[in-house]
C-alpha cells in the first residue's frame, strides 16, 4: 500500500520548510498568496490529509471556531459564515454557529460553553452595524459587520457610506437630478449613515429630507405617496432592497414607470428581494462573504499568536440592474 503523505513530504515538494507548509495549510502566518497556493497544490498532488486528532493532541487545540451571532434569520450571518468556512476549511477547522437571539443571558451561556469546549477562537457578528461591547473571554476574538467598542480589538466592517455614495454617482451619471431617500429606523446606524451619505453625495440634486421608517415593503409603499405629494423625485434611493421593492410596487400601482419616470435603487443585494423585484433592483452588495473571509484570516493570525488591532473597513460593490438602467 502507498504510504500516506506527511507534512514534510508536502514541504519538500513545495520547496518550503515544514513549518511554512503547516502555516499555509492552516491559513496562518504572514505568507504570500503564491506560497500558500504552491503548498496547497503540493498537498493536493500528494493526497495529503491532515491528521486532525493528532494535531489537536500535540498542539492543545481543538481545531474548532465559533461564530456567535444575534442574527436569528441568518440574513447576514450565513453569508459571513460561508466566507469564514472558505478560509477555515482549508486548514481542516470546523465552525460552530451559535445564535444568541439578542439575549445577553443566552450569549453568556454560549460563551461559558465555548470556553469549556476549548474552541480556538470566536467570530462575533449580528444583524446591526452599531459598534458593540467586547466579549470577555480568554480566547482570540474578531468582530464582523459590527465593530467592537474596544479599539484594541480586531473588527471587519463594511463601508456603508461609500456604498450609498456609489448609488448617487450612478444616478447622476444617468442624468437624474431630483434624488430622494427612503430608509429604516432613525435609531439604526446603517439607516442614518446611508441617508447622510446619499444627501452629501447628491448635493443640490437631493430633494426633501430622508424619510425614516421601518425596514419593510409596507413602508416603502407608503413613502411613495408622501414623496410624490412633496418632492416629485425622478430617483428614489432606498436603505434596503425590501424598501425598494415596496417603492417599485407602489409606483407601478400609480401608473409610474420604473425607471422611465422614477429610477429606484436598493441596498444589500438580497437576491430574494433584488432579483424578484419588478423590475430587478440596482443595489449595493455588501460582499459579506469577503467580510467572512477577511475575518477568518485575522482570527487565524490571532490564534497563531499574531493578533491584529483596530477596524478594517471593506468596500461595497454596486450592482446595476433594470430599476435604473431599463430593459436592455
Amino acid at each position: 500500500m502507498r504510504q500516506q503523505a506527511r507534512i514534510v513530504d508536502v514541504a519538500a515538494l513545495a520547496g518550503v520548510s515544514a513549518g511554512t507548509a503547516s502555516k499555509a495549510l492552516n491559513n496562518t502566518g504572514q505568507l504570500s498568496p503564491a506560497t500558500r497556493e504552491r503548498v496547497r497544490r503540493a498537498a493536493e498532488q500528494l493526497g495529503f490529509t491532515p491528521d486532525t486528532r493528532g494535531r489537536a493532541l500535540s498542539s492543545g487545540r481543538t481545531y474548532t471556531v465559533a461564530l456567535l451571532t444575534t442574527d436569528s434569520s441568518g440574513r447576514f450571518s450565513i453569508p459571513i459564515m460561508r466566507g469564514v468556512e472558505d478560509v477555515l476549511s482549508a486548514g481542516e477547522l470546523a465552525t460552530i454557529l451559535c445564535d444568541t437571539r439578542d439575549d445577553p443571558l443566552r450569549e453568556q451561556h454560549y460563551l461559558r460553553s465555548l470556553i469549556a469546549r476549548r474552541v480556538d477562537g470566536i467570530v462575533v457578528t449580528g444583524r446591526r452595524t452599531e459598534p458593540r461591547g467586547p466579549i470577555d473571554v480568554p480566547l482570540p476574538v474578531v468582530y464582523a459587520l459590527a465593530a467592537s467598542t474596544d479599539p484594541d480589538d480586531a473588527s471587519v466592517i463594511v463601508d456603508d457610506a461609500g456604498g450609498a455614495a456609489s448609488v448617487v454617482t450612478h444616478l447622476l451619471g444617468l442624468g437624474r437630478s431630483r434624488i430622494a431617500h427612503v430608509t429604516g429606523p432613525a435609531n439604526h446606524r446603517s439607516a442614518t449613515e446611508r441617508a447622510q451619505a446619499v444627501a452629501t453625495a447628491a448635493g443640490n440634486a437631493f430633494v426633501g429630507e430622508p424619510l425614516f421608517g421601518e425596514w419593510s415593503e409596507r413602508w416603502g409603499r407608503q413613502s411613495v405617496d408622501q414623496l410624490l405629494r412633496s418632492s416629485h423625485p425622478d430617483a428614489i434611493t432606498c436603505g434596503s432592497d425590501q424598501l425598494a421593492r415596496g417603492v417599485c410596487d407602489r409606483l407601478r400601482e400609480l401608473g409610474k414607470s420604473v425607471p422611465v419616470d422614477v429610477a429606484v435603487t436598493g441596498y444589500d443585494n438580497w437576491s430574494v428581494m433584488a432579483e424578484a423585484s419588478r423590475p430587478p433592483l440596482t443595489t449595493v452588495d455588501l460582499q459579506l462573504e469577503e467580510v467572512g473571509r477577511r475575518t477568518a484570516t485575522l482570527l487565524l493570525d490571532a490564534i497563531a499568536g499574531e493578533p491584529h488591532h483596530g477596524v478594517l473597513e471593506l468596500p461595497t460593490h454596486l450592482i446595476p440592474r433594470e430599476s435604473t438602467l431599463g430593459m436592455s
Side-chain angles (χ1 to χ4, degrees):
M1 295 179 63
R2 180 181 177 184
Q3 185 177 0
Q4 184 174 351
R6 301 167 299 167
I7 189 68
V8 292
D9 301 320
V10 174
L13 181 58
V16 299
S17 69
T20 296
S22 178
K23 288 180 180 179
L25 294 175
N26 288 312
N27 275 295
T28 59
Q30 302 294 320
L31 305 179
S32 70
T35 298
R36 292 187 193 277
E37 182 60 26
R38 190 164 73 251
V39 171
R40 287 172 186 161
R41 284 201 304 267
E44 183 178 350
Q45 181 178 335
L46 294 173
F48 174 74
T49 303
D51 181 356
T52 304
R53 289 179 301 174
R55 286 191 300 166
L57 289 172
S58 63
S59 67
R61 289 176 53 187
T62 59
Y63 289 89
T64 56
V65 164
L67 190 146
L68 189 72
T69 181
T70 61
D71 177 26
S72 299
S73 69
R75 165 68 189 91
F76 300 100
S77 59
I78 296 302
I80 288 174
M81 186 172 73
R82 283 200 296 265
V84 167
E85 290 187 330
D86 282 348
V87 173
L88 298 184
S89 61
E92 300 291 318
L93 276 77
T95 308
I96 303 171
L97 178 63
C98 303
D99 174 19
T100 69
R101 305 179 195 176
D102 252 345
D103 182 346
L105 292 179
R106 184 180 288 269
E107 179 173 285
Q108 289 305 311
H109 164 74
Y110 272 128
L111 292 177
R112 287 192 296 270
S113 176
L114 294 172
I115 293 170
R117 290 172 180 267
R118 299 174 58 239
V119 298
D120 294 332
I122 300 175
V123 171
V124 179
T125 188
R127 66 179 185 276
R128 299 273 295 271
T129 61
E130 282 78 8
R132 58 152 293 161
I135 60 173
D136 184 15
V137 293
L139 300 167
V141 179
V142 180
Y143 299 81
L145 196 61
S148 168
T149 54
D150 185 345
D152 197 47
D153 289 333
S155 304
V156 181
I157 65 172
V158 171
D159 181 10
D160 256 337
S166 71
V167 166
V168 174
T169 300
H170 171 70
L171 291 170
L172 293 175
L174 294 173
R176 302 294 168 162
S177 59
R178 296 183 59 80
I179 299 173
H181 187 69
V182 177
T183 192
N187 63 343
H188 282 211
R189 180 176 183 267
S190 57
T192 56
E193 192 168 51
R194 294 168 191 176
Q196 180 59 53
V198 167
T200 300
N204 293 333
F206 191 70
V207 294
E209 296 291 331
L211 298 184
F212 293 95
E214 59 186 23
W215 298 113
S216 70
E217 291 177 70
R218 178 178 62 181
W219 168 233
R221 291 192 297 270
Q222 292 172 347
S223 69
V224 171
D225 294 328
Q226 186 173 338
L227 287 171
L228 293 184
R229 282 195 304 267
S230 58
S231 305
H232 304 289
D234 62 7
I236 301 175
T237 59
C238 300
S240 77
D241 294 331
Q242 196 166 5
L243 286 167
R245 184 167 172 176
V247 166
C248 287
D249 287 348
R250 183 57 178 156
L251 287 170
R252 188 170 59 252
E253 290 171 358
L254 294 173
K256 301 289 185 181
S257 171
V258 178
V260 176
D261 298 318
V262 183
V264 178
T265 65
Y267 205 104
D268 294 335
N269 196 31
W270 185 11
S271 60
V272 172
M273 289 289 166
E275 295 176 12
S277 178
R278 298 173 56 194
L281 296 171
T282 290
T283 186
V284 175
D285 193 324
L286 300 177
Q287 303 198 97
L288 294 176
E289 291 191 23
E290 179 61 18
V291 171
R293 285 189 284 269
R294 297 295 289 273
T295 300
T297 300
L298 295 183
L299 185 63
L300 287 174
D301 285 347
I303 291 170
E306 301 172 355
H308 297 259
H309 308 283
V311 177
L312 173 62
E313 188 175 66
L314 300 183
T316 58
H317 180 60
L318 180 71
I319 309 290
R321 295 194 181 99
E322 287 92 328
S323 69
T324 59
L325 299 178
M327 300 297 292
S328 57

